[in-house]
Amino acid sequence: MTKLKIAGVPEHFNLPWHLCIQNNEFSNHNIDLQWTDVPEGTGKLCQMLRNGDTDIAVILTEGIIKDIAAGNDSKIVQLYVDSPLIWGIHVAAGSSYQSVNDIQQGKVAISRYGSGSHLMAFVNAENQGWNTSKLDFEIVNTIDGAVDALTEGKADYFMWERFMTKPLVDNGIFRRVGDCPTPWPCFVIAIRNEVLQNNPDSIGTILEIINNKTTGFKEIENIDAVLSDKYNQKVEDIREWLKLTEWSQTKLDKTTFDKVQDQLVRLNIIENKTSFEAVTG
């Protein structure tokens, strides 16, 4: 058995991996793929790749491009989700803020520096015409940490995937004042270079299996009910999310890479550009 570690956020996008593991689709090919949920998100996943705590990460496109440019010895082997991630912009339910414009001077709750909640705060600020150098952050680690920070007034707003955060809106804990979709495909599969070099056949098999699963994922019988139950979502919300979500089975293209990196450079998130060849494998 080839043992490999994989990590990603505990969100509905990653159910295809769990189904493959449960159905022994990897172990049938002599691969022991061990999944770790990482609720802290992309910043933690980047750190895990750097430390060797995971071999593979299902990770936000902008976050891993930023981290590879900063020295993470990994490569993006393919796109995983081709559609944008819809970031909901949330405030505490009892907050006086009523619109995105109201939060211009507010403190942003982020899971950690380098995570999507951090990077997308810059994208949103640029979209709104705000001065991005004035953004102020409060590290909260997880959604639970964000609930505490917003409820206690330690931070003013929090950006997270709209559908995963919706139960907090439905339950009167958060209120959503706007959305900010990523201007690029949202998730990629990244692998440590050492692992890529040492296990090319196993990596190829893993990608073939997951791509086969995502290709037919929406047609799986009762998948809306399965997702609803596993991720505590209303079935109607899951159905809307499924309509908006498209998985990918293709490599990251240079046009998309340049679009992401150019915007991160413009926002002063990346200081030194890296090459397309250094990022993709």
Side-chain angles (χ1 to χ4, degrees), residues 60-62 79 81-85 182-188 252-253 256 260:
L60 290 176
T61 308
E62 62 273 22
L79 292 172
V81 176
D82 197 40
S83 46
L85 189 72
T182 58
W184 42 68
C186 58
F187 281 106
V188 296
L252 176 69
D253 62 275
T256 301
V260 177

Side-chain angles (χ1 to χ4, degrees), residues 10-203:
E11 295 183 4
H12 36 18
F13 297 97
N14 287 324
L15 185 62
W17 292 99
H18 298 292
L19 295 180
C20 288
I21 291 169
Q22 289 165 18
N23 296 338
N24 299 315
E25 292 176 52
F26 299 116
S27 58
N28 286 344
H29 288 81
N30 221 31
I31 298 166
D32 179 13
L33 191 63
Q34 300 177 343
W35 179 276
T36 298
D37 274 333
V38 180
E40 297 92 338
T42 290
K44 177 67 180 287
L45 287 165
C46 287
Q47 182 185 15
M48 290 174 71
L49 284 168
R50 284 174 176 259
N51 296 346
D53 295 328
T54 191
D55 301 314
I56 307 168
V58 184
I59 192 165
L60 290 176
T61 308
E62 62 273 22
I64 189 60
I65 288 177
K66 172 192 178 294
D67 212 52
I68 291 173
N72 189 322
D73 192 25
S74 301
K75 279 192 170 60
I76 296 170
V77 294
Q78 73 161 68
L79 292 172
Y80 177 62
V81 176
D82 197 40
S83 46
L85 189 72
I86 302 174
W87 291 82
I89 306 167
H90 304 88
V91 299
S95 164
S96 61
Y97 301 116
Q98 298 299 318
S99 70
V100 173
N101 203 47
D102 293 341
I103 59 174
Q104 181 172 351
Q105 310 300 328
K107 181 176 272 194
V108 195
I110 61 172
S111 55
R112 59 174 61 204
Y113 289 107
S115 268
S117 53
H118 174 225
L119 303 186
M120 286 302 294
F122 285 96
V123 173
N124 177 61
E126 186 185 51
N127 289 349
Q128 302 300 327
W130 302 344
N131 184 343
T132 56
S133 68
K134 300 288 189 185
L135 289 173
D136 189 18
F137 300 103
E138 176 79 16
I139 297 175
V140 298
N141 292 308
T142 62
I143 290 183
D144 290 341
V147 169
D148 293 341
L150 265 58
T151 303
E152 295 166 14
K154 294 177 184 173
D156 298 299
Y157 68 98
F158 177 61
M159 297 177 65
W160 205 258
E161 201 277 331
R162 187 177 89 187
F163 290 93
M164 288 302 296
T165 322
K166 191 167 183 294
L168 293 170
V169 175
D170 292 340
N171 293 333
I173 297 166
F174 281 170
R175 185 159 38 80
R176 195 173 81 249
V177 294
D179 289 328
C180 183
T182 58
W184 42 68
C186 58
F187 281 106
V188 296
I189 300 169
I191 303 179
R192 291 193 297 116
N193 286 332
E194 179 188 3
V195 175
L196 267 176
Q197 290 156 13
N198 293 340
N199 304 276
D201 292 343
S202 294
I203 295 302

